[in-house]
Amino acid sequence: MYYNLPFIIAAVIAVIGIGAMLFRRNLIKVIMGLSLVEAAVNLFLVALGYRMDAIAPIFTNAPGTSMVLPTVQAMTLTNIVIGIATTALLLSFTMIIYKKYGSANTDTVRKLRG
Amino acid sequence: MSMSKIVRAAADIIFVFILTFGFYIVAHGHLTPGGGFQGGAVIATGFVLLIAAYGSRALLDRFGKEWFRSSEALGLLVFIGTAFVALFLGATFFANWLANGGLIFGEAVAFGPNPGDLNTGGVIPIMNIAVGIEVLGALSLIVLYMLSGTEEGA
Amino acid sequence: MKQYIKAAVLLVLLAAFLVPTLSLDFGNPAETSLDDYFIRYGQEQTGGNNIVADVLMDFRGFDTLGEATVLLTAVLAVGLVFRRLHKEEEYEYE
């Protein structure tokens, strides 16, 4: 069945995000890598609950009653909101760090300043 | 820090539709795709559009951070309060004490596809509205706070 | 040298993520009894047509409570980070 393409793509996106977090020095790009990992997790969760030839789990004018799994979609919604919260917090910290050090590079930030 | 008159006039017009669409998504959260979080995010986008067109100073003169802060706290309080009422009625925490009761939002629904009735869902529409109010305040506040840290928003 | 270690770590992670996908079957979830219960009885028990909203607000309400609390905490933390101690344009962290 489709050779598990969504799961493979989710794994690749997660590894790209972790690679951005490992190889990039800019704090903004590290946060972008974190957002990529979140997106990969969301894609994995939604793909995990997919059922072949099924519809979204909403009964309003539904054409049938074969539906995809609703619990993983609720988990995805929770994950999106928590992702927004963490991203906003990390970006605020990055703004403070940029104001204090004049740079968002981790090599510059590593030196302590009083 | 406001933009040109064309942008401001267009933002005035589009803001009404964004608000209507957001409240539609919140109010129909138990019938159609959407819900409190999505609708609240849409409404917060409308406020961000106003900030982009007029600048945060003009928006804060009209609403103020207290407005968004109290909307966020009010949403969370209504959410928890709705869950707590079930305890006083003898049910468990977060029990759906309005469903199939015949009162407001209490219309009984049979299994299977139906055209959808707004007067169903028990506490789900109430919690959707509460979460929508909370998310609209929270996301607008995040944007306002982060803007106050920049040079032009200070 | 450090770059090669990082690349090796990434390759190991990619392999560790790709191996479990072989055992998964897209379009045919393995364990569905809980979700089948939600789909079959969620509409009658809660009255909402949107099963995702039923799961989010009723069956798993504690998740949504924690989620809303996380959002409130994040907004409080962002407000603390950008707080202004005095009325003038001076920030606390400068």
Side-chain angles (χ1 to χ4, degrees):
Chain A
M1 283 299 175
Y2 289 138
Y3 304 108
N4 285 336
L5 198 59
F7 298 122
I8 295 170
I9 290 175
V12 170
I13 291 177
V15 168
I16 289 173
I18 295 173
M21 289 161 75
L22 281 179
F23 283 107
R24 293 292 151 183
R25 294 285 179 203
N26 198 327
L27 280 176
I28 299 282
K29 284 170 184 166
V30 172
I31 296 172
M32 284 165 77
L34 193 70
S35 296
L36 267 181
V37 178
E38 281 168 15
V41 170
N42 290 341
L43 176 62
F44 177 72
L45 276 175
V46 172
L48 203 60
Y50 184 71
R51 204 180 257 163
M52 210 39 87
D53 297 324
I55 58 172
I58 294 164
F59 276 101
T60 308
N61 295 326
T65 53
S66 169
M67 291 176 172
V68 300
L69 309 190
T71 312
V72 281
Q73 299 200 9
M75 296 288 103
T76 308
L77 207 52
T78 310
N79 192 20
I80 288 172
V81 176
I82 293 173
I84 286 175
T86 52
T87 308
L89 198 55
L90 287 174
L91 284 176
S92 320
F93 287 152
T94 309
M95 283 169 75
I96 300 298
I97 285 171
Y98 186 82
K99 280 207 168 178
K100 193 161 173 58
Y101 291 90
S103 158
N105 195 319
T106 47
D107 289 333
T108 318
V109 175
R110 190 161 300 171
K111 300 191 210 61
L112 281 177
R113 267 175 54 176
Chain B
M1 195 51 204
S2 69
M3 298 186 80
S4 71
K5 195 171 177 60
I6 298 174
V7 177
R8 277 181 281 147
D12 278 346
I13 296 170
I14 295 173
F15 178 68
V16 180
F17 293 104
I18 291 178
L19 218 59
T20 313
F21 183 58
F23 279 117
Y24 158 74
I25 288 182
V26 172
H28 289 242
H30 57 300
L31 296 178
T32 53
F37 288 105
Q38 297 91 325
V42 169
I43 298 170
T45 316
F47 283 112
V48 172
L49 177 70
L50 280 191
I51 292 170
Y54 284 92
S56 63
R57 182 58 58 201
L59 188 82
L60 285 179
D61 285 344
R62 179 67 59 86
F63 288 116
K65 269 182 188 147
E66 288 304 321
W67 197 87
F68 294 109
R69 217 173 286 159
S70 44
S71 98
E72 186 194 8
L74 181 80
L76 196 56
L77 278 180
V78 170
F79 185 76
I80 298 175
T82 314
F84 254 113
V85 170
L87 274 184
F88 297 113
L89 294 179
T92 52
F93 195 57
F94 268 108
N96 200 335
W97 49 277
L98 273 174
N100 305 326
L103 295 171
I104 183 169
F105 297 132
E107 204 81 19
V109 180
F111 174 72
N114 58 357
D117 184 3
L118 256 188
N119 196 20
T120 58
V123 297
I124 294 172
I126 298 174
M127 287 187 174
N128 265 329
I129 291 168
V131 170
I133 291 172
E134 193 218 337
V135 171
L136 96 88
L139 294 188
S140 308
L141 260 187
I142 285 177
V143 172
L144 279 173
Y145 275 134
M146 292 181 78
L147 204 59
S148 77
T150 60
E151 297 294 330
E152 67 180 72
Chain C
M1 189 60 207
K2 220 172 164 185
Q3 302 285 325
Y4 291 120
I5 296 176
K6 285 178 183 173
V9 167
L10 269 190
L11 283 179
V12 169
L13 271 179
L14 184 62
F17 286 166
L18 281 180
V19 167
T21 64
L22 297 176
S23 65
L24 291 169
D25 190 9
F26 180 63
N28 188 15
E31 175 56 48
T32 65
S33 56
L34 180 69
D35 300 84
D36 285 337
Y37 179 85
F38 285 156
I39 289 172
R40 175 61 185 85
Y41 295 104
Q43 200 183 13
E44 290 172 357
Q45 289 181 0
T46 68
N49 276 348
N50 189 344
I51 305 294
V52 178
D54 294 350
V55 172
L56 206 62
M57 299 289 169
D58 194 338
F59 290 113
R60 302 185 73 114
F62 280 95
D63 273 5
T64 311
L65 179 63
E67 185 181 352
T69 314
V70 164
L71 199 58
L72 183 86
T73 315
V75 172
L76 282 181
V78 173
L80 274 180
V81 164
F82 290 116
R83 74 190 182 279
R84 218 171 297 184
L85 284 189
H86 308 293
K87 267 300 169 189
E88 62 261 23
E89 297 295 299
E90 194 72 23
Y91 286 98
E92 188 267 337
Y93 49 82
E94 277 173 347

